[in-house]
Amino acid sequence: MATVSEHPEKAAAYIADRSRSRWHDGALWFVRSKRDRMAHSLPEWERLRSTASQIKAHTIANLPEILQQFEANAKARGVHVHWAADAQEHNEIVLEIVRKQNATRVVKSKSMLTEECHLNPHLEANGIEVIDTDLGERIVQMRGERPSHIVLPAIHIKKEEVGETFAKYLGTEPGASDPQYLTEAARQHLRSKFLEAEVGITGVNFAIAETGGFVVCTNEGNADLGASLPRVHIACMGIEKLIPRLVDLSVFVRLLARSATGQPITTYTSHFHGPRPGCELHIVLVDNGRSRIRDSDEFRSALGCIRCGACMNTCPVFRRSGGHSYDAVVPGPIGSVLSPAADTKQHRSLPYACSLCGSCTDVCPVKIPLHHQLLTWRQQIASQGLLPVSKTAAMRAGSMLFQHPRIYALAGALGRRALRWLPKSWIYNRANPWGLDRDLPEPPVESFRSWWQTNRQGTSVDEGMKSKGAKNGK
């Protein structure tokens, strides 16, 4: 049984390393700033977002018909199409394809779906070597970690730590931290793995129902090598990755790289339309809970996500607390919507890892109302009785306070005095986890209630505000 993951505890451990937290914050804000410059360079940016949102809404609404169209056109091109209801079925299908080839060596490009299905451990448990070929993913694979970001999987690791990892696993010079030297070492290591591989696995960014083809976007070209050198190519995709027409592709290609990394386009945008002569191409279409999200009026639009990571780069909570604090395959705002849909109890704390500032909604290229959906999750989690007692007790206490003006006034008076006179260690300690990383403002000498009675006694609030406005010449 999965253990309940609490974001605040994991975030606290990450934030304790203040230097790393600040560096992580700055690195992601740099990417967010690049995204803004790219978005502002296109006068039609908002029109592209609206069009993408409409295409995705149409696709999700007509998903069964569009999936059947894609399957028919893909099969007509000689592609083997497989259907997987869940992660286990997906993993069994991939393993069966690999075994039919008598293969023991697999290279895999970045695919969040295979992370979601835990494909690597499944194949490794059956004697298959799986090498992640995206540089960031290879680094975290060597370290035994999961990606902390869906586009920048090793964004939490400094170059000195990469040097230590490569020295241990690739035999590079101890203490080396030069990015060019380390990248060249990784290139030589991965090149040999590409040449040895018998099967290549990729993800899918977009699949086109009209043509039966699909597109994989990378910046390193690793997916192209992984799909071209081995005789067998397996493409794993969630059923929400479809778009209806080829003409729709240009809308998403223009949005994806600009939103993800602030580039005009990914370095490699590779199209696959059937197997090479004498080779095999398999596509595994995976549901794994997506149909359940599609049935939900509140969260259906989350299936429009194109996995650009823009919501993570802008989220103040994600930037400061790091991706691993979410303990989910997809972290950040979109992960905080999708993960509770898969297991509400396990991920009950994620919708609260949010300030509701709305910045994620503002940058989403397909206009998913993320902060509204996170608020809806909070309501549903509370109604299911999944909130911890500490939170529900505080909410009840707050409710009682706001319903009784005399108690509210007394609590305010006691609080102002306590904040002024009590030793700081009495207020900011482990009994007050909220205060471990925050300082309250200087308490006022008198309350607003007291000020009002002194300066506006005998007048209503409306009259007082009008009087104040008149004095200000308004």
Side-chain angles (χ1 to χ4, degrees), residues 109-110 134 203-206 214-224 249 252-253 256-257 265-272:
S109 68
K110 189 149 62 66
D134 175 90
V204 171
N205 288 94
F206 305 104
F214 62 90
V215 172
V216 180
C217 303
T218 70
N219 278 323
E220 300 171 15
N222 55 308
D224 299 81
L249 181 63
F252 293 96
V253 170
L256 178 63
I265 193 169
T266 48
T267 308
Y268 299 90
T269 302
S270 304
H271 296 243
F272 296 90

Side-chain angles (χ1 to χ4, degrees), residues 375-404:
L375 184 59
T376 302
W377 262 125
R378 293 185 186 187
Q379 294 163 349
Q380 294 197 5
I381 288 169
S383 66
Q384 292 177 35
L386 294 176
L387 286 179
V389 174
S390 58
K391 195 177 284 290
T392 55
M395 291 294 180
R396 289 195 185 97
S399 175
M400 184 192 71
L401 203 64
F402 293 130
Q403 291 180 61
H404 298 83

Side-chain angles (χ1 to χ4, degrees), residues 221-398:
N222 55 308
D224 299 81
L225 275 178
S228 303
L229 292 178
R231 199 181 70 82
V232 177
H233 174 194
I234 306 172
C236 305
M237 60 172 277
I239 56 175
E240 83 283 10
K241 290 297 182 71
L242 278 169
I243 54 176
R245 306 169 303 173
L246 182 59
V247 71
D248 300 326
L249 181 63
S250 63
V251 175
F252 293 96
V253 170
R254 297 184 79 192
L255 287 167
L256 178 63
R258 287 179 169 89
S259 299
T261 54
Q263 300 168 247
I265 193 169
T266 48
T267 308
Y268 299 90
T269 302
S270 304
H271 296 243
F272 296 90
H273 292 92
R276 291 172 289 133
C279 299
E280 294 181 18
L281 174 56
H282 298 258
I283 298 176
V284 187
L285 295 160
V286 185
D287 187 316
N288 203 33
R290 287 161 175 78
S291 292
R292 192 167 57 249
I293 297 175
R294 179 175 176 267
D295 291 338
S296 163
D297 291 337
E298 295 87 356
F299 305 115
R300 182 179 301 122
S301 62
L303 291 178
C305 176
I306 60 173
R307 302 293 193 271
C308 67
C311 61
M312 301 169 198
N313 301 338
T314 198
C315 175
V317 177
F318 181 90
R319 295 201 318 267
R320 290 165 178 80
S321 64
H324 288 162
S325 65
Y326 290 78
D327 200 17
V329 172
V330 179
I334 183 64
S336 298
V337 170
L338 296 175
S339 298
D343 189 331
T344 308
K345 183 178 181 181
Q346 184 186 357
H347 299 291
R348 66 189 183 189
S349 70
L350 295 189
Y352 295 88
C354 170
S355 64
L356 297 178
C357 67
S359 184
C360 50
T361 301
D362 290 341
V363 301
C364 177
V366 291
K367 293 194 167 185
I368 301 171
L370 287 163
H371 71 293
H372 292 293
Q373 293 184 349
L374 290 170
L375 184 59
T376 302
W377 262 125
R378 293 185 186 187
Q379 294 163 349
Q380 294 197 5
I381 288 169
S383 66
Q384 292 177 35
L386 294 176
L387 286 179
V389 174
S390 58
K391 195 177 284 290
T392 55
M395 291 294 180
R396 289 195 185 97

Side-chain angles (χ1 to χ4, degrees), residues 48-101:
L48 283 173
R49 290 181 70 212
S50 298
T51 304
S53 177
Q54 292 166 12
I55 292 170
K56 278 294 184 181
H58 170 80
T59 303
I60 300 303
N62 299 280
L63 192 57
E65 295 80 8
I66 292 175
L67 278 167
Q68 289 172 4
Q69 182 187 8
F70 174 76
E71 180 189 27
N73 287 330
K75 283 182 173 177
R77 291 179 177 276
V79 178
H80 300 275
V81 179
H82 310 263
W83 296 85
D86 53 30
Q88 183 177 354
E89 193 171 356
H90 163 266
N91 292 346
E92 291 299 330
I93 289 170
V94 173
L95 178 61
E96 184 181 354
I97 297 170
V98 174
R99 279 179 167 166
K100 280 185 177 177
Q101 306 302 320

Side-chain angles (χ1 to χ4, degrees), residues 74-193:
K75 283 182 173 177
R77 291 179 177 276
V79 178
H80 300 275
V81 179
H82 310 263
W83 296 85
D86 53 30
Q88 183 177 354
E89 193 171 356
H90 163 266
N91 292 346
E92 291 299 330
I93 289 170
V94 173
L95 178 61
E96 184 181 354
I97 297 170
V98 174
R99 279 179 167 166
K100 280 185 177 177
Q101 306 302 320
N102 294 318
T104 57
R105 292 173 297 230
V106 170
V107 287
K108 183 166 75 66
S109 68
K110 189 149 62 66
S111 159
M112 296 314 298
L113 176 71
T114 58
E115 293 288 338
E116 171 187 329
C117 295
H118 305 293
L119 178 64
N120 284 17
H122 183 76
L123 293 180
E124 289 165 354
N126 285 278
I128 311 296
E129 179 193 69
V130 186
I131 300 295
D132 283 313
T133 56
D134 175 90
L135 178 56
E137 286 225 323
R138 185 66 183 129
I139 292 169
V140 296
Q141 186 183 32
M142 287 178 179
R143 294 167 61 92
E145 300 174 353
R146 65 167 41 160
S148 66
H149 188 293
I150 61 173
V151 176
L152 310 163
I155 187 67
H156 61 291
I157 303 171
K158 296 184 177 181
K159 60 183 181 181
E160 291 79 8
E161 294 167 320
V162 174
E164 293 171 8
T165 303
F166 280 13
K168 181 177 179 181
Y169 293 99
L170 303 184
T172 55
E173 186 178 340
S177 60
D178 177 59
Q180 185 168 349
Y181 169 74
L182 296 174
T183 304
E184 185 60 33
R187 177 195 293 270
Q188 297 305 322
H189 161 68
L190 288 172
R191 187 59 58 100
S192 66
K193 296 297 181 184

Side-chain angles (χ1 to χ4, degrees), residues 393-441:
M395 291 294 180
R396 289 195 185 97
S399 175
M400 184 192 71
L401 203 64
F402 293 130
Q403 291 180 61
H404 298 83
R406 290 181 184 278
I407 299 177
Y408 178 84
L410 177 62
L414 293 174
R416 286 193 301 279
R417 284 168 176 75
L419 288 173
R420 275 201 298 273
W421 300 113
L422 287 179
K424 193 171 182 178
S425 60
W426 287 29
I427 301 170
Y428 301 102
N429 53 50
R430 293 192 177 277
N432 175 24
W434 187 91
L436 290 178
D437 291 296
R438 303 174 179 88
D439 280 325
L440 288 167

